[in-house]
Amino acid sequence: MTQSTTRTTNVAVTTDFDAVVVGAGFGGLYMLRKLRDELGLTVRGFERAPGVGGTWYWNRYPGALSDTETYLYCYSFDRDLLQDWEWDTRYVTQPRILSYLEHVAARYDLKRDFQFETGVEAAHFDEAAGRWRIRTDRGELCSAKYLVTALGLLSATNLPDIPGLERFTGERYHTGAWPSNVSLAGKRVGVIGTGSTGLQVITAIAPEVAQLTVFQRTAQYSVPVGNGKVPQAEIDAIKRDYDAIWARAKRSMVAFGFEESTVPAMSVSEEERQAVFQRAWDAGGGFRYMFGTFGDIATNPEANEAAAAFVRAKIAQIVKDPETARKLTPRGVYAKRPLCDSGYYATFNRPNVSLVDIKENPIREITAGGVVTADGVEHALDVLIFATGFDAVDGNYVKIDLRGRGGRSIREQWQRGPTSYLGMTTTGFPNMFMILGPNGPFTNLPPSIETQVEWISDCVKHAEQHGAQSIEATAEAESAWTATCADIAAQTLFAQGDSWIFGANIPGKPNTVMFYMAGLGAYREVLGGVVREEYRGFELRHSSNVGRERAVAAG
Ligand code: FAD
Ligand code: NA7
């Protein structure tokens, strides 16, 4: 396949590849391996970070932990890799996940084709040539027939625009871009944000800091994560049964490994309901609590309220100060990404931890020495931590000057909210594939990433076998997929949850569906059907522009 290098009259070097992959997290690493080692393409990877890992490179904050159980927070594509990976805790911390991904990169010799510390700044589709013209932030130019973006769906950090932010003279960090050498011991620390990340960092640092002030905008429902050592016999049993475990996970809805309930919450007695919630609380895991207890917590308001009330009662039991307990108690629907923690609510019983409810008492400004709230109090701080999340899903896309046919930019394409066909392609952007693009599955992500990488690889193979210059989703297919995702989401309570899942966390961002919520099993069936129907919803074009093959329109 093609690879050439030419020096132009400018300083830039132009290099032509079959494919460019952007991002070196779970998605980009596996994609590069598939395209290079299985399809035999010439591939160049670009990654802004100095190393591999993606999420697990950037999120080095204390307490960073996957809340998918260890045995399913990994790749399944290589049985030997699965057997060789040694782990011993139910959940896996950031340093372990990072070393796992570094091991993967070394094992398959992936780093030699990645260029690190290099951001992709622009990618334009050249219609005449049927190639992507790519520019990096080092001023390099290259071209590729295929562009695969594995930019991460929780990767573009969200730093809120709070008055005075730049005046703060202490240390300031965002959890999603955490440096390696931070010491918080003995310092006065403030944390803004109480999402999944906030809960983790707050719980982890409370014992070591002098004073911790938590600025909470919305109280959260959270259950224990239940981390701890896993007995060797259990690990051995998992490794023996791995094929069946992965097959089940890939057929399931959220792919977290537990048995998903189909029992309606209100079909059992109050006593039985409480016992089911208690068992899930004891076992640990936010997704287990939402999807393993009853089948309708995320869809039926009455069931949802029962699950929420159980957590509220736990907060009342755990938190000693009634005023703090009141502030920590969520009142609304239980419909954000389900959270779990390692003792979050109990952390507020510590004498060095205080809670400021910034809905009742908003942040007025940030000063050189701390945070001033509406009541006029200045909370003096040495360190201010933003655990304020991400511009999720499309955040990294709209930062790139990404242009498809007719020079249309992705920002124009998605001005009313990001859309896709199958979570991986968008019409007018030929030969471009997104890993975890908008309206992909809402699950434990590595199995969804693997599903998409394998599907993309097959799709590229199909286009190559047909001698196509390009393959592209039709507008009809994309509209139909968007409508399907919206219909499914409308049957859930998530739209009421005001979170990144619908883009509701970023001021001014259109509030739209960003996930396919019918689960991984259903998603895989859809993908299989598309392939069986000769890539239904895609159009192949050939260089002469004659003999365009139009696949059967999406149904
Ligand atoms: P990422 O790992 O986000 O990698 C994307 C990479 O693309 C980044 O390294 C970024 O630097 C790079 N990039 C972006 N734009 C450019 C550009 N223009 N040029 C060059 N490089 C670029 N998922 C779960 O399933 N279970 C969990 O328990 C879980 N816990 C999480 C905890 C935290 C704190 C966070 C932030 C996320 C968590 N996730 C979890 C989601 C997690 O992001 C995914 O599981 C997975 O790691 C995503 O992999 P990825 O390769 O798609 O993207
Ligand atoms: P989240 O879940 O988006 O949480 C962000 C938190 O920051 C949340 O408590 C927000 O409050 C708060 N926030 C956001 N903007 C502001 C402003 N302007 N002022 C005060 N507080 C603010 O991000 P996470 O990093 O915790 O988790 C994201 C995902 O990554 C998570 O689901 C896992 O999948 C991993 P709000 O609730 O919006 O009122």
Side-chain angles (χ1 to χ4, degrees):
M1 294 275 176
T2 58
Q3 178 164 9
S4 67
T5 305
T6 47
R7 190 162 290 280
T8 65
T9 48
N10 296 327
V11 282
V13 171
T14 302
T15 309
D16 300 317
F17 300 98
D18 294 323
V20 155
V21 173
V22 191
F26 267 98
L29 289 175
Y30 185 30
M31 192 76 248
L32 190 134
R33 171 172 157 75
K34 281 294 267 190
L35 295 176
R36 186 192 70 182
D37 299 347
E38 287 184 31
L39 298 197
L41 305 188
T42 59
V43 190
R44 166 56 49 91
F46 291 111
E47 166 57 61
R48 185 173 285 130
V52 302
T55 292
W56 306 102
Y57 176 87
W58 295 108
N59 288 262
R60 292 163 187 247
Y61 60 84
L65 178 85
S66 161
D67 64 7
T68 302
E69 289 194 37
T70 309
Y71 73 100
L72 285 173
Y73 200 69
C74 54
Y75 294 110
S76 68
F77 67 80
D78 180 341
R79 284 189 177 133
D80 294 337
L81 174 67
L82 274 174
Q83 294 300 325
D84 293 349
W85 189 31
E86 293 194 4
W87 49 274
D88 59 359
T89 51
R90 193 152 305 279
Y91 296 90
V92 69
T93 58
Q94 174 272 329
R96 292 296 307 277
I97 306 170
L98 183 57
S99 68
Y100 168 78
L101 290 171
E102 278 166 351
H103 168 75
V104 167
R107 186 175 177 119
Y108 307 108
D109 194 14
L110 302 177
K111 279 191 186 174
R112 79 176 144 91
D113 288 309
F114 265 103
Q115 185 173 319
F116 295 97
E117 294 183 271
T118 309
V120 166
E121 225 171 46
H124 295 181
F125 187 68
D126 174 340
E127 291 184 58
R131 296 184 71 79
W132 284 94
R133 308 250 172 237
I134 293 153
R135 191 182 71 238
T136 74
D137 57 8
R138 293 168 173 239
E140 296 149 318
L141 304 172
C142 71
S143 84
K145 180 166 180 184
Y146 298 100
L147 172 64
V148 186
T149 50
L151 309 182
L153 87 179
L154 292 159
S155 175
T157 52
N158 168 41
L159 187 66
D161 186 15
I162 300 176
L165 183 62
E166 297 309 325
R167 286 208 300 269
F168 186 63
T169 53
E171 299 162 62
R172 192 182 88 188
Y173 304 109
H174 190 289
T175 50
W178 193 271
S180 302
N181 53 353
V182 178
S183 166
L184 300 175
K187 293 181 180 166
R188 297 166 304 172
V189 179
V191 176
I192 300 180
T194 54
S196 172
T197 297
L199 267 54
Q200 290 184 345
V201 76
I202 289 162
T203 310
I205 67 177
E208 67 164 309
V209 302
Q211 190 191 316
L212 177 58
T213 309
V214 176
F215 299 92
Q216 169 197 276
R217 190 163 71 178
T218 309
Q220 292 280 12
Y221 295 101
S222 181
V223 303
V225 67
N227 201 5
K229 288 266 181 220
V230 181
Q232 191 57 46
E234 189 179 330
I235 297 171
D236 293 343
I238 287 171
K239 287 194 172 180
R240 272 196 307 275
D241 202 23
Y242 242 143
D243 284 354
I245 288 172
W246 278 105
R248 264 199 310 276
K250 287 178 183 175
R251 277 197 308 271
S252 74
M253 190 156 138
V254 292
F256 270 76
F258 55 80
E259 193 175 333
E260 293 161 356
S261 176
T262 53
V263 178
M266 294 302 142
S267 69
V268 304
S269 69
E270 172 67 13
E271 197 185 7
E272 171 63 7
R273 212 164 29 247
Q274 294 299 312
V276 170
F277 287 140
Q278 184 63 49
R279 280 200 293 276
W281 178 276
D282 294 339
F287 275 79
R288 186 199 306 275
Y289 187 74
M290 187 179 269
F291 295 99
T293 49
F294 296 102
D296 55 352
I297 303 294
T299 51
N300 172 5
E302 210 184 343
N304 188 273
E305 172 51 25
F310 184 89
V311 178
R312 283 189 216 115
K314 289 289 185 192
I315 298 171
Q317 281 168 20
I318 295 168
V319 182
K320 295 199 178 106
D321 172 46
E323 179 57 5
T324 306
R326 181 188 69 77
K327 289 182 192 164
L328 280 172
T329 303
R331 300 286 163 201
V333 66
Y334 170 49
K336 296 187 179 189
R337 185 184 188 276
L339 303 187
C340 48
D341 64 79
S342 304
Y344 175 67
Y345 298 124
T347 296
F348 291 88
N349 292 333
R350 298 180 62 90
N352 67 332
V353 179
S354 61
L355 181 66
V356 180
D357 182 329
I358 57 171
K359 255 193 193 135
E360 290 177 2
N361 183 19
I363 294 176
R364 193 203 287 162
E365 61 174 334
I366 295 176
T367 59
V371 170
V372 179
T373 40
D375 57 4
V377 172
E378 180 175 52
H379 304 269
L381 301 172
D382 304 310
V383 183
L384 183 52
I385 296 174
F386 287 87
T388 42
F390 302 89
D391 183 354
V393 182
D394 58 330
N396 273 335
Y397 284 83
V398 295
K399 286 185 176 173
I400 300 177
D401 178 14
L402 183 56
R403 291 175 189 273
R405 283 193 197 284
R408 183 175 166 84
S409 77
I410 200 76
R411 294 176 202 125
E412 286 168 74
Q413 175 98 342
W414 288 349
Q415 59 189 320
R416 282 184 285 140
T419 58
S420 77
Y421 179 42
L422 305 175
M424 292 184 278
T425 60
T426 186
T427 185
F429 290 72
N431 293 350
M432 182 181 105
F433 297 92
M434 301 174 281
I435 299 173
L436 302 184
N439 288 337
F442 182 72
T443 64
N444 166 38
L445 290 170
S448 288
I449 289 171
E450 282 193 321
T451 296
Q452 293 190 331
V453 166
E454 287 159 12
W455 193 91
I456 290 167
S457 178
D458 288 346
C459 185
V460 167
K461 196 163 151 189
H462 171 82
E464 290 297 297
Q465 282 169 347
H466 283 73
Q469 187 191 47
S470 67
I471 183 160
E472 176 180 355
T474 65
E476 297 83 0
E478 182 155 340
S479 301
W481 182 251
T482 308
T484 298
C485 293
D487 285 351
I488 296 165
Q491 293 165 42
T492 76
L493 299 168
F494 283 103
Q496 299 171 30
D498 269 357
S499 76
W500 59 264
I501 297 173
F502 274 74
N505 63 327
I506 302 295
K509 186 164 175 168
N511 199 326
T512 54
V513 60
M514 297 214 280
F515 287 94
Y516 171 77
M517 293 208 160
L520 181 56
Y523 180 69
R524 287 173 64 88
E525 276 180 29
V526 171
L527 296 187
V530 167
V531 173
R532 280 192 300 278
E533 291 177 42
E534 285 285 307
Y535 288 85
R536 181 185 75 221
F538 285 92
E539 187 177 66
L540 291 179
R541 292 193 191 183
H542 299 275
S543 48
S544 58
N545 265 343
V546 283
R548 278 159 59 155
E549 290 179 25
R550 196 180 170 101
V552 182

